[in-house]
Each structure stands twice: as structure tokens, then as C-alpha cells.
Amino acid sequence: MSSAPAAQNKPVAISTTEGFVCGGIAACIAVTISNPAEVAKTRLQLQGELAKGGGVKVYNNAIDVLRKTYVNEGLRGVQRGLGPA
């Protein structure tokens, strides 16, 4: 056994630029992950508004929205609106 002192875990300070970049990356990841839920919510809301005027009900729930959107429009449909976000 060596008699070297145990390594201490000290917090590492990051620069303002590094913090800014890390924050931007985290925001991009968060929006990319949460965007399909926003798409489903918006489509269900629009379906409700259209149903008031006699429109046909297309979706049953949020999972059904995502499934039908993916089948008919692919990943681009599920991530629609990601650019402006």
C-alpha cells in the first residue's frame, strides 16, 4: 500500500463562456426531448377546436397522436416546430 494522500474532489470553476455554451447545449437537448409532447398537445387542442365546428376526431390520446404522426409524417412530423424553438 502506498502512503500517498487520498485525492480530494474539489469543484472545478468554469468560465463564463463555458457556462454559456453548456447552458445552450442543455437547452437544445431539453427542447429536442420535450418537443414531441408539445406537438401532441397542440394537435389535440386543435382537434378539440375543430370538433366544435363538426370536425372529425382523428386522435384518441397523446400516444395515439405521436404514433399516427410518426407513421404518416416520420420523425420530421414528430419534431415539427423544433427550428423556431
Side-chain angles (χ1 to χ4, degrees):
M1 297 245 172
S2 67
S3 61
Q8 294 182 4
N9 294 331
K10 295 181 182 178
V12 177
I14 62 172
S15 71
T16 303
T17 304
E18 289 171 330
F20 182 78
V21 170
C22 288
I25 292 170
C28 288
I29 292 169
V31 168
T32 302
I33 291 171
S34 65
N35 193 57
E38 293 291 327
V39 169
K41 175 192 68 112
T42 302
R43 290 185 181 213
L44 285 170
Q45 287 175 332
L46 288 173
Q47 174 179 272
E49 290 297 317
L50 293 173
K52 290 179 184 177
V56 179
K57 184 177 176 184
V58 178
Y59 307 115
N60 296 320
N61 54 44
I63 301 298
D64 188 45
V65 172
L66 294 175
R67 185 181 62 77
K68 287 180 180 176
T69 302
Y70 184 77
V71 167
N72 293 317
E73 301 176 40
L75 188 58
R76 289 187 131 201
V78 174
Q79 288 291 355
R80 188 168 300 253
L82 184 62

